[in-house]
Coordinates of all heavy atoms in Angstrom, one line a residue:
L129 N -67.5 17.8 52.4 CA -66.0 18.1 52.0 C -65.6 16.9 51.0 O -65.8 15.8 51.2 CB -65.1 18.0 53.3 CG -65.4 19.0 54.3 CD1 -64.4 19.0 55.4 CD2 -65.8 20.5 53.9
Y130 N -64.9 17.4 49.9 CA -64.5 16.5 48.9 C -63.1 16.7 48.5 O -62.5 17.8 48.6 CB -65.4 16.7 47.6 CG -66.7 16.2 47.6 CD1 -67.8 16.9 48.1 CD2 -66.9 14.8 47.2 CE1 -69.0 16.4 48.1 CE2 -68.3 14.4 47.2 CZ -69.3 15.2 47.6 OH -70.6 14.6 47.7
L131 N -62.4 15.6 48.1 CA -61.1 15.7 47.4 C -61.3 15.4 46.0 O -62.0 14.4 45.6 CB -60.1 14.6 48.1 CG -58.7 14.5 47.3 CD1 -58.0 15.9 47.5 CD2 -58.0 13.4 47.9
E132 N -60.8 16.3 45.1 CA -60.9 16.1 43.6 C -59.6 15.9 43.0 O -58.6 16.4 43.3 CB -61.6 17.5 43.1 CG -61.8 17.4 41.6 CD -60.7 17.8 40.7 OE1 -59.8 18.5 41.2 OE2 -60.6 17.4 39.5
E133 N -59.7 14.9 42.0 CA -58.5 14.6 41.2 C -58.9 14.2 39.8 O -59.6 13.3 39.6 CB -57.6 13.5 41.9 CG -56.4 13.2 41.1 CD -55.5 12.3 41.9 OE1 -56.0 11.6 42.8 OE2 -54.3 12.1 41.5
N134 N -58.5 14.9 38.9 CA -58.8 14.7 37.4 C -60.2 14.6 37.2 O -60.7 13.7 36.4 CB -58.0 13.4 36.9 CG -56.6 13.6 36.9 OD1 -56.0 14.6 36.4 ND2 -55.8 12.6 37.2
G135 N -61.1 15.3 37.9 CA -62.5 15.3 37.6 C -63.3 14.3 38.5 O -64.5 14.4 38.5
T136 N -62.6 13.6 39.3 CA -63.3 12.7 40.2 C -63.3 13.2 41.6 O -62.3 13.6 42.1 CB -62.5 11.3 40.1 OG1 -62.5 10.7 38.8 CG2 -63.2 10.3 41.1
L137 N -64.5 13.2 42.2 CA -64.7 13.7 43.5 C -64.9 12.6 44.6 O -65.7 11.6 44.3 CB -66.0 14.6 43.6 CG -65.8 15.9 42.8 CD1 -67.2 16.5 42.6 CD2 -64.9 16.9 43.8
T138 N -64.1 12.6 45.6 CA -64.2 11.6 46.7 C -64.7 12.3 47.9 O -64.1 13.2 48.4 CB -62.8 10.9 47.0 OG1 -62.4 10.4 45.7 CG2 -63.0 9.9 48.1
L139 N -65.9 11.8 48.4 CA -66.5 12.5 49.6 C -65.6 12.1 50.9 O -65.1 10.9 51.1 CB -67.9 11.8 49.9 CG -68.6 12.3 51.1 CD1 -68.9 13.7 51.0 CD2 -69.9 11.4 51.3
L140 N -65.3 13.1 51.6 CA -64.4 12.9 52.9 C -65.4 12.9 54.1 O -65.5 12.0 54.9 CB -63.5 14.1 53.0 CG -62.5 14.2 51.9 CD1 -61.7 15.4 52.0 CD2 -61.5 13.0 51.9
V141 N -66.2 14.0 54.3 CA -67.0 14.0 55.4 C -68.3 14.9 55.1 O -68.2 15.6 54.1 CB -66.5 14.6 56.8 CG1 -65.2 13.9 57.2 CG2 -66.0 16.1 56.6
R142 N -69.3 14.8 55.9 CA -70.5 15.6 55.7 C -71.0 16.1 56.9 O -71.0 15.4 58.0 CB -71.6 14.8 55.0 CG -72.9 15.5 54.6 CD -73.8 14.5 54.0 NE -75.1 15.3 53.6 CZ -76.1 14.6 53.0 NH1 -76.1 13.3 52.7 NH2 -77.2 15.3 52.7
T143 N -71.4 17.3 57.1 CA -72.0 17.9 58.3 C -73.2 17.0 58.7 O -74.0 16.6 57.8 CB -72.4 19.4 58.2 OG1 -73.3 19.5 57.1 CG2 -71.3 20.2 58.0
G144 N -73.4 16.8 60.0 CA -74.4 15.9 60.5 C -73.9 14.5 60.8 O -74.7 13.8 61.6
Q145 N -72.9 14.1 60.3 CA -72.4 12.7 60.6 C -71.5 12.8 61.9 O -71.1 13.8 62.3 CB -71.5 12.2 59.4 CG -70.2 12.7 59.3 CD -69.3 12.1 58.2 OE1 -69.5 12.3 57.0 NE2 -68.4 11.3 58.7
A146 N -71.3 11.6 62.5 CA -70.6 11.6 63.7 C -69.1 12.0 63.4 O -68.5 11.6 62.4 CB -70.5 10.1 64.2
A147 N -68.5 12.7 64.4 CA -67.3 13.3 64.2 C -66.2 12.2 64.4 O -66.3 11.4 65.4 CB -67.0 14.5 65.2
H148 N -65.2 12.0 63.6 CA -64.2 11.1 63.6 C -63.4 11.2 64.9 O -63.0 12.3 65.3 CB -63.3 11.1 62.4 CG -63.8 10.9 61.1 ND1 -64.6 11.8 60.4 CD2 -63.9 9.7 60.4 CE1 -65.1 11.2 59.3 NE2 -64.6 9.9 59.3
G149 N -63.2 10.0 65.6 CA -62.4 9.9 66.8 C -63.0 10.5 68.0 O -62.2 10.6 69.1
L150 N -64.2 10.9 68.0 CA -64.9 11.4 69.2 C -66.0 10.5 69.7 O -66.3 9.5 69.0 CB -65.4 12.8 69.0 CG -64.2 13.8 68.6 CD1 -64.9 15.2 68.4 CD2 -63.1 13.9 69.6
A151 N -66.7 10.9 70.8 CA -67.8 10.0 71.2 C -68.9 9.9 70.2 O -69.1 10.9 69.4 CB -68.4 10.8 72.5
P152 N -69.7 8.8 70.1 CA -70.8 8.6 69.1 C -71.8 9.7 69.0 O -72.3 9.9 67.9 CB -71.3 7.2 69.5 CG -70.3 6.6 70.4 CD -69.6 7.7 71.1
D153 N -72.0 10.4 70.2 CA -73.1 11.3 70.1 C -72.6 12.8 69.6 O -73.3 13.8 69.7 CB -73.8 11.4 71.3 CG -72.9 11.8 72.6 OD1 -71.7 11.8 72.3 OD2 -73.5 12.1 73.6
V154 N -71.3 12.9 69.3 CA -70.7 14.2 68.8 C -70.6 14.1 67.3 O -70.1 13.2 66.7 CB -69.3 14.4 69.4 CG1 -68.7 15.7 68.8 CG2 -69.4 14.4 70.9
S155 N -71.2 15.2 66.7 CA -71.3 15.2 65.3 C -70.8 16.5 64.7 O -70.7 17.5 65.4 CB -72.7 15.1 64.8 OG -73.6 16.0 65.3
Y156 N -70.4 16.5 63.4 CA -70.0 17.8 62.7 C -71.2 18.6 62.5 O -72.2 18.1 62.0 CB -69.3 17.4 61.4 CG -68.1 16.6 61.4 CD1 -68.0 15.3 60.8 CD2 -67.0 17.1 62.1 CE1 -66.9 14.6 60.8 CE2 -65.8 16.3 62.1 CZ -65.8 15.1 61.5 OH -64.6 14.3 61.4
S157 N -71.1 19.9 62.8 CA -72.3 20.7 62.6 C -72.2 21.8 61.6 O -73.1 22.1 60.9 CB -72.7 21.5 64.0 OG -71.6 22.4 64.3
R158 N -70.9 22.3 61.5 CA -70.7 23.3 60.4 C -69.3 23.3 60.1 O -68.4 23.1 60.9 CB -71.2 24.7 61.0 CG -71.1 25.8 59.9 CD -72.1 26.9 60.4 NE -71.8 27.4 61.8 CZ -71.0 28.4 62.1 NH1 -70.4 29.0 61.0 NH2 -70.8 28.9 63.2
V159 N -68.9 23.7 58.8 CA -67.5 23.9 58.4 C -67.0 25.1 59.0 O -67.4 26.2 58.9 CB -67.4 23.9 56.8 CG1 -65.9 24.1 56.4 CG2 -68.0 22.7 56.1
G160 N -65.8 24.9 59.7 CA -65.1 26.0 60.4 C -64.1 26.7 59.4 O -63.9 27.9 59.5
Q161 N -63.5 25.9 58.6 CA -62.5 26.5 57.6 C -62.4 25.5 56.5 O -62.4 24.3 56.7 CB -61.1 26.7 58.2 CG -60.1 27.2 57.3 CD -58.8 27.5 58.0 OE1 -58.6 27.7 59.2 NE2 -57.7 27.4 57.2
S162 N -62.4 26.1 55.3 CA -62.4 25.2 54.1 C -61.2 24.2 54.1 O -60.1 24.6 54.7 CB -62.3 26.0 52.8 OG -63.6 26.9 52.7
P163 N -61.3 23.1 53.5 CA -60.3 22.1 53.7 C -59.1 22.5 52.8 O -59.2 23.2 51.8 CB -60.9 20.8 53.0 CG -62.0 21.3 52.1 CD -62.6 22.5 52.8
V164 N -57.9 22.0 53.2 CA -56.6 22.2 52.5 C -56.0 20.9 52.2 O -56.1 19.9 53.0 CB -55.6 23.0 53.5 CG1 -54.3 23.1 52.8 CG2 -56.3 24.4 53.7
V165 N -55.4 20.7 51.0 CA -54.8 19.5 50.6 C -53.3 19.7 50.3 O -52.9 20.7 49.8 CB -55.4 18.9 49.3 CG1 -55.3 19.9 48.2 CG2 -54.9 17.6 49.0
D166 N -52.5 18.8 51.0 CA -51.0 18.9 50.8 C -50.5 18.2 49.6 O -51.4 17.7 48.8 CB -50.3 18.4 52.1 CG -50.4 16.9 52.2 OD1 -50.7 16.2 51.3 OD2 -50.0 16.4 53.3
D167 N -49.3 18.2 49.3 CA -48.8 17.8 48.0 C -48.8 16.2 47.9 O -48.6 15.7 46.8 CB -47.4 18.3 47.7 CG -47.3 19.8 47.5 OD1 -48.4 20.3 47.1 OD2 -46.3 20.4 47.7
R168 N -49.1 15.6 49.0 CA -49.3 14.1 48.9 C -50.7 13.7 48.9 O -51.0 12.5 48.9 CB -48.6 13.5 50.2 CG -47.0 13.7 50.2 CD -46.4 13.2 51.4 NE -46.7 14.0 52.6 CZ -46.3 13.7 53.8 NH1 -45.4 12.8 53.9 NH2 -46.7 14.4 54.8
G169 N -51.7 14.6 48.8 CA -53.0 14.3 48.8 C -53.8 14.2 50.0 O -54.9 13.7 50.1
H170 N -53.0 14.5 51.2 CA -53.8 14.5 52.5 C -54.6 15.8 52.7 O -54.1 16.9 52.4 CB -52.7 14.3 53.6 CG -51.9 13.1 53.4 ND1 -50.5 13.0 53.7 CD2 -52.2 11.9 53.0 CE1 -50.0 11.8 53.5 NE2 -51.1 11.1 53.0
V171 N -55.7 15.6 53.3 CA -56.7 16.7 53.5 C -56.8 17.0 55.0 O -56.9 16.1 55.9 CB -58.0 16.4 52.9 CG1 -59.0 17.6 53.1 CG2 -57.9 16.2 51.4
T172 N -56.8 18.3 55.3 CA -57.0 18.8 56.8 C -58.1 19.8 56.6 O -58.2 20.6 55.7 CB -55.7 19.4 57.2 OG1 -54.7 18.5 57.4 CG2 -55.9 19.9 58.7
F173 N -59.0 19.7 57.7 CA -60.1 20.7 57.7 C -60.5 21.0 59.2 O -60.1 20.2 60.1 CB -61.3 20.0 56.9 CG -61.8 18.7 57.5 CD1 -62.7 18.6 58.5 CD2 -61.1 17.5 57.0 CE1 -63.1 17.4 59.0 CE2 -61.5 16.3 57.6 CZ -62.6 16.2 58.5
A174 N -61.2 22.1 59.3 CA -61.7 22.5 60.6 C -63.2 22.4 60.6 O -63.9 22.8 59.7 CB -61.3 23.9 60.9
M175 N -63.8 22.0 61.7 CA -65.3 21.8 61.8 C -65.6 22.3 63.2 O -65.0 22.1 64.2 CB -65.6 20.4 61.7 CG -65.7 19.8 60.2 SD -67.1 20.4 59.4 CE -67.2 19.3 58.1
L176 N -66.9 22.9 63.2 CA -67.6 23.1 64.5 C -68.4 21.9 64.8 O -68.8 21.1 64.0 CB -68.6 24.3 64.3 CG -68.0 25.6 63.9 CD1 -69.0 26.7 63.9 CD2 -66.8 26.0 64.8
L177 N -68.6 21.6 66.1 CA -69.2 20.4 66.6 C -70.5 20.6 67.3 O -70.8 21.6 67.8 CB -68.3 19.7 67.5 CG -66.9 19.2 66.9 CD1 -66.0 18.7 68.1 CD2 -67.2 18.1 65.9
D178 N -71.4 19.6 67.2 CA -72.6 19.5 68.0 C -72.4 18.6 69.1 O -72.3 17.3 68.9 CB -73.8 19.1 67.1 CG -75.1 19.1 67.9 OD1 -75.2 19.5 69.0 OD2 -76.2 18.6 67.2
V179 N -72.1 19.1 70.3 CA -71.9 18.3 71.5 C -73.0 18.4 72.5 O -73.4 19.5 72.9 CB -70.6 18.6 72.1 CG1 -70.2 17.7 73.3 CG2 -69.4 18.6 71.1

Side-chain angles (χ1 to χ4, degrees):
L129 305 187
Y130 284 90
L131 176 65
E132 182 272 340
E133 184 173 13
N134 293 322
T136 298
L137 289 163
T138 301
L139 178 66
L140 299 171
V141 300
R142 183 180 182 183
T143 55
Q145 77 175 72
H148 293 82
L150 302 182
D153 59 349
V154 177
S155 59
Y156 298 121
S157 65
R158 188 158 55 91
V159 178
Q161 183 178 327
S162 297
V164 175
V165 58
D166 70 17
D167 290 338
R168 296 176 292 182
H170 300 143
V171 179
T172 298
F173 57 92
M175 283 283 198
L176 303 184
L177 295 170
D178 185 3
V179 182

